[in-house]
Amino acid sequence: MIIENSMKWQGMAGEWGAGRKETARQAMAWAKEHGLVTHGHVLVWPSARFTPRPLQHLVSKANATKLAETVKEHILEATRYYDPVVDEWQVVNELYGNQEFTDILGPKALGDWFRTAHASVPDVPLYINDYGIVSANYNDQAPHPLAYEKTIEGLLAEGAPLGGIGMQSHFGSALTPPERVYAILERFGRFGLPIQATEFDVHARDEPVQADYTRDFLTVFFSHPATRGVIFWGFWEGQHWVPHAALVRKNWEYKPNMQAYRDLVFGQWWTDATGRTGADGAYATRGFLGEYTVRVTHGGKTQTQSFSFDPKGAQVLIALGQ
């Protein structure tokens, strides 16, 4: 789960309405209680226009020292305020188009932001996030993805605690072919970091096209070993930044793209196996990674147990009493 705006610096400062940071924390706590993974968006959006108005004057060479201190204080405030209801954080958003902070503070400031966040929440994976990587259908030599690679390489070279790569995935009328999406994942998968599609939606007004591309994009992301997940940027038409891109209509009716999502996640990618043990009491099956509940019945007795199935596999021992 992700909150679109309230956890951003301006939202926390109350510029978009009082109480937004408190509401965001409550929403994240609710999500955690219901077993959802929570994703913090975002600690630093490095531009004056994304900085609270009373602090925008700090975005200048003359105030470089104070700017560095203020950004660090914000990172600490946000991570501490939302700890422990945030499972993973985006530290930096859209650096390619917003370089005012790094122009003033120097490129090393980027690593400092990651180190500050890591010191505050050492067990939380820290992501970088940008647009124009997977959704723009650029060729391999386009400036934006090349710059993103260089930024990631620089962070890793200096030992910054970068924990994952975010790729915004807002698709308009130009839909990146699935094979091209896979090639991009291969290109960035070389860093050995988990990759997430952080802001997925399809703005095409043709609903069958929306559904088909949702199916194809999710299938490609699900198939690649480097990927961590796909975050939909909204789902309900009544509260979506591009209403016609939503998954659910205003009257809560499922659109074809929502049905495509459900067919994959709760159909093709859902393991539901039934069988009998052998004479040795063992039963084995293959399944998708995730959380499982197993139910065993013998001699009129039934026992249920939950477990996690990870890439190493899982072995569950259930003993039914005499």
Side-chain angles (χ1 to χ4, degrees):
M1 173 180 162
I2 196 167
I3 304 290
E4 290 184 12
N5 290 313
S6 296
M7 295 174 72
K8 294 172 182 173
W9 199 347
Q10 291 153 300
M12 288 192 66
E15 291 190 355
W16 300 328
R20 292 191 67 150
K21 73 175 186 177
E22 293 84 359
T23 301
R25 195 180 196 284
Q26 292 169 6
M28 287 296 200
W30 180 91
K32 289 275 287 182
E33 290 169 4
H34 289 78
L36 301 177
V37 176
T38 55
H39 191 91
H41 174 80
V42 56
L43 294 174
V44 185
W45 203 348
S47 173
R49 62 193 175 120
F50 301 125
T51 303
R53 284 188 296 273
L55 302 175
Q56 289 180 359
H57 70 282
L58 298 178
V59 187
S60 68
K61 287 282 188 181
N63 293 302
T65 300
K66 184 61 176 176
L67 175 63
E69 293 172 353
T70 302
V71 173
K72 179 178 180 179
E73 289 168 0
H74 169 66
I75 293 172
L76 293 174
E77 178 192 3
T79 51
R80 290 168 181 169
Y81 181 78
Y82 289 108
D83 182 46
V85 299
V86 172
D87 293 311
E88 50 197 24
W89 268 107
Q90 287 179 19
V91 175
V92 183
N93 188 46
E94 298 182 353
L95 179 67
Y96 184 79
N98 299 277
Q99 300 185 22
E100 288 180 80
F101 286 14
T102 50
D103 285 346
I104 294 167
L105 303 176
K108 293 295 184 182
L110 189 62
D112 292 338
W113 300 335
F114 276 88
R115 282 184 284 272
T116 298
H118 180 69
S120 179
V121 283
D123 297 325
V124 175
L126 304 175
Y127 278 71
I128 191 168
N129 190 51
D130 217 326
Y131 63 94
I133 310 303
V134 70
S135 56
N137 199 17
Y138 289 135
N139 61 57
D140 288 344
Q141 298 305 310
H144 201 153
L146 283 174
Y148 203 36
E149 283 184 300
K150 184 177 180 181
T151 297
I152 294 167
E153 289 170 351
L155 286 168
L156 295 176
E158 67 173 89
L162 176 63
I165 301 169
M167 296 180 177
Q168 293 183 23
S169 302
H170 299 294
F171 290 93
S173 58
L175 302 175
T176 308
E179 60 271 21
R180 175 65 182 151
V181 174
Y182 193 88
I184 294 167
L185 294 176
E186 285 282 274
R187 175 178 176 178
F188 284 85
R190 68 185 175 86
F191 293 114
L193 296 170
I195 299 172
Q196 290 198 47
T198 49
E199 303 181 20
F200 176 65
D201 48 29
V202 182
H203 302 177
R205 290 186 177 272
D206 187 320
E207 291 190 354
V209 169
Q210 273 188 335
D212 287 347
Y213 195 72
T214 296
R215 177 201 62 216
D216 293 346
F217 185 83
L218 293 179
T219 299
V220 171
F221 253 75
F222 185 73
S223 71
H224 199 282
T227 58
R228 169 80 168 84
V230 174
I231 300 173
F232 284 82
W233 202 244
F235 68 95
W236 181 49
E237 185 181 19
Q239 194 73 2
H240 199 290
W241 78 300
V242 181
H244 65 265
L247 298 163
V248 181
R249 303 191 198 282
K250 206 166 186 178
N251 65 0
W252 296 100
E253 175 188 0
Y254 287 171
K255 290 176 56 183
N257 52 350
M258 172 58 107
Q259 195 56 56
Y261 163 82
R262 291 184 60 83
D263 288 346
L264 291 174
V265 176
F266 298 103
Q268 294 184 40
W269 302 340
W270 196 269
T271 302
D272 189 359
T274 302
R276 290 178 172 272
T277 66
D280 58 355
Y283 172 75
T285 189
R286 289 171 56 85
F288 291 105
L289 307 184
E291 303 298 318
Y292 279 77
T293 299
V294 61
R295 182 177 294 107
V296 177
T297 300
H298 178 70
K301 296 181 178 181
T302 299
Q303 185 169 326
T304 301
Q305 186 169 323
S306 298
F307 67 97
S308 295
F309 186 35
D310 62 27
K312 297 177 182 178
Q315 186 175 61
V316 181
L317 178 63
I318 296 180
L320 295 175
Q322 297 296 322

